[in-house]
């Protein structure tokens, strides 16, 4: 068992950014990462100034190299399966049975997207099945586009995507729950509503060719936006009594603090604004806040 000032669970953008803040503050820090980021299938990352168009791995590899320069920051490859609050702080346990302790704990572990049972969906996720028009929409502007969603979320999301393309289909994967007024507004903007159930997604190496429905109907698309459900990568609510928001994110205050003393969270674990730039900003801030708390306790 090894002891640190801070353990960061998650070595992607938020975790690495927090690690840099702590390394520059001379804090003995351990970053534990499983090596499976949620955007590992995504070919290019966008909307992050100075790195626009680079692959996610290029950005994270460069970030890791730069964080590794600070010799008080260590890395450990592993999957955390258990968290425990102790008198001194926190204990983490990996799937290999390794245990590490720290005074403070930062959760930057992200979320796991839950794929629907549609053949072809998971293979296209992050490539031509997209979650964010800000991250990827410009590259597929004016293309034949679909949205896989229903209800108020689908209606509101249609407004964002309609700004990027007017050749738009809304696929509700079954009878829609949209209101009469919402359907009328979609029709006014020539957005085609398709209420057939999806059979599968025909693709080539993750690039959509067509959507095939159970009725036999087919629609050729270039890209499909989808809002998938998710779950936290680390079950901090069960292990530590960490509060979640109504949408399933870890609840934090304006200082990235959870309801558990000494426990902080940042990145995709806490917000629906899932972007590289946002994760890095939150991580850097969280690292600074944790260092300040440690400094005040030690003074």
């Amino acid at each position: 068992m090894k002891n640190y000032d801070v353990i960061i669970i998650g070595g992607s953008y938020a975790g690495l950014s927090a690690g840099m803040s702590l390394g520059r503050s001379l804090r003995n820090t351990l970053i534990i990462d499983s090596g499976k980021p949620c955007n590992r299938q995504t070919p290019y990352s966008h909307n992050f100034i100075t790195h626009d168009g680079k692959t996610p791995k290029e950005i994270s590899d460069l970030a890791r190299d730069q964080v590794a320069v600070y010799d008080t920051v260590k890395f450990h490859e592993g999957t955390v399966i258990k968290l425990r609050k102790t008198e001194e702080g926190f204990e983490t346990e990996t799937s290999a049975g390794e245990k590490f302790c720290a005074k403070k704990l930062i959760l930057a572990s992200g979320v796991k997207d839950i794929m629907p049972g549609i053949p072809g969906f998971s293979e296209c996720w992050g490539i031509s099945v997209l979650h964010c028009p800000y991250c990827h929409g410009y590259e597929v502007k004016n293309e034949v586009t679909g949205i896989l969603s229903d209800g108020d979320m689908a209606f509101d999301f249609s407004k964002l995507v309609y700004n990027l393309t007017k050749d738009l289909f809304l696929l509700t994967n079954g009878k829609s729950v949209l209101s009469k007024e919402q359907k009328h507004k979609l029709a006014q903007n020539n957005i085609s509503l398709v209420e057939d159930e999806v059979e599968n997604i025909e693709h080539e190496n993750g690039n959509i060719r067509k959507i095939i429905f159970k009725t036999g109907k087919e629609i050729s698309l270039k890209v499909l936006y989808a809002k998938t459900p998710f779950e936290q990568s680390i079950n901090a609510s069960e292990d530590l009594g960490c509060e979640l928001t109504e949408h399933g994110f870890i609840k934090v205050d304006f200082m990235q603090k959870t309801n558990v003393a000494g426990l902080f969270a940042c990145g995709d674990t806490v917000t629906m604004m899932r972007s590289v730039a946002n994760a890095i900003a939150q991580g850097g801030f969280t690292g600074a806040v944790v260092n300040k708390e440690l400094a005040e306790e030690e003074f």
Side-chain angles (χ1 to χ4, degrees):
M1 187 178 293
K2 297 181 180 180
N3 295 289
Y4 295 86
D5 292 325
V6 186
I7 289 176
I8 301 170
I9 302 177
S12 195
Y13 312 108
L16 289 169
S17 185
M20 178 171 280
S21 285
L22 290 162
R24 291 182 60 80
S25 300
L26 309 181
R27 297 298 178 186
N28 290 314
T29 303
L30 179 67
I31 300 176
I32 305 175
D33 185 63
S34 64
K36 295 180 180 179
C38 65
N39 64 356
R40 57 188 176 273
Q41 283 193 180
T42 305
Y44 301 103
S45 176
H46 292 282
N47 208 30
F48 177 26
I49 197 166
T50 73
H51 293 283
D52 190 53
K54 290 185 177 180
T55 68
K57 191 173 187 303
E58 278 184 278
I59 300 171
S60 60
D61 283 353
L62 177 60
R64 180 173 173 131
D65 289 344
Q66 292 178 347
V67 173
V69 169
Y70 300 95
D71 56 11
T72 61
V73 181
K74 306 301 179 186
F75 295 88
H76 181 78
E77 185 175 340
T79 301
V80 174
I81 59 170
K82 191 70 177 175
L83 302 173
R84 189 169 70 89
K85 190 80 170 71
T86 66
E87 289 185 7
E88 296 78 21
F90 299 89
E91 178 186 285
T92 66
E93 182 178 344
T94 70
S95 57
E98 302 147 315
K99 293 181 180 180
F100 304 96
C101 292
K103 299 171 187 175
K104 308 292 179 184
L105 182 63
I106 298 175
L107 298 178
S109 44
V111 296
K112 295 178 183 177
D113 296 296
I114 301 171
M115 302 290 123
I118 298 174
F121 187 99
S122 60
E123 292 86 347
C124 295
W125 181 244
I127 301 171
S128 58
V129 175
L130 309 175
H131 79 285
C132 176
Y134 295 104
C135 298
H136 308 289
Y138 182 86
E139 283 63 44
V140 291
K141 64 184 183 299
N142 300 321
E143 297 285 0
V144 184
T145 300
I147 298 172
L148 183 64
S149 186
D150 197 8
D152 292 339
M153 179 182 288
F155 184 73
D156 289 337
F157 199 62
S158 295
K159 299 173 189 175
L160 285 178
V161 180
Y162 183 73
N163 178 58
L164 295 166
T165 180
K166 302 300 183 281
D167 203 343
L168 186 58
F169 292 84
L170 177 56
L171 317 179
T172 58
N173 197 24
K175 187 169 177 57
S176 169
V177 297
L178 290 161
S179 69
K180 183 178 179 181
E181 292 75 16
Q182 287 172 330
K183 289 181 179 180
H184 178 68
K185 194 66 177 178
L186 292 172
Q188 276 188 324
N189 287 286
N190 296 315
I191 298 174
S192 301
L193 178 63
V194 182
E195 298 183 89
D196 305 58
E197 289 188 47
V198 177
E199 176 70 30
N200 69 282
I201 298 175
E202 187 177 296
H203 67 96
E204 184 177 334
N205 298 320
N207 294 293
I208 295 175
R209 293 293 176 258
K210 62 179 66 174
I211 308 296
I212 300 174
F213 299 89
K214 292 182 179 180
T215 57
K217 183 177 181 177
E218 297 181 357
I219 296 176
S220 296
L221 293 178
K222 178 75 172 183
V223 62
L224 179 69
Y225 290 95
K227 291 291 187 180
T228 61
F230 68 88
E231 61 185 11
Q232 290 289 332
S233 296
I234 300 291
N235 196 352
S237 60
E238 184 175 309
D239 287 356
L240 299 175
C242 185
E243 287 184 16
L244 301 179
T245 69
E246 61 178 318
H247 299 295
F249 297 102
I250 294 176
K251 189 175 182 178
V252 294
D253 65 11
F254 70 101
M255 299 295 279
Q256 304 299 135
K257 296 181 180 182
T258 71
N259 64 300
V260 179
L263 177 64
F264 299 77
C266 55
D268 292 354
T269 59
V270 304
T271 178
M272 64 181 67
M273 291 296 292
R274 295 173 64 179
S275 73
V276 173
N278 188 59
I280 289 173
Q282 279 195 359
F285 178 71
T286 304
V289 171
V290 171
N291 175 65
K292 184 174 185 295
E293 190 167 285
L294 285 167
E296 289 176 344
E297 291 171 358
E298 294 166 357
F299 190 73

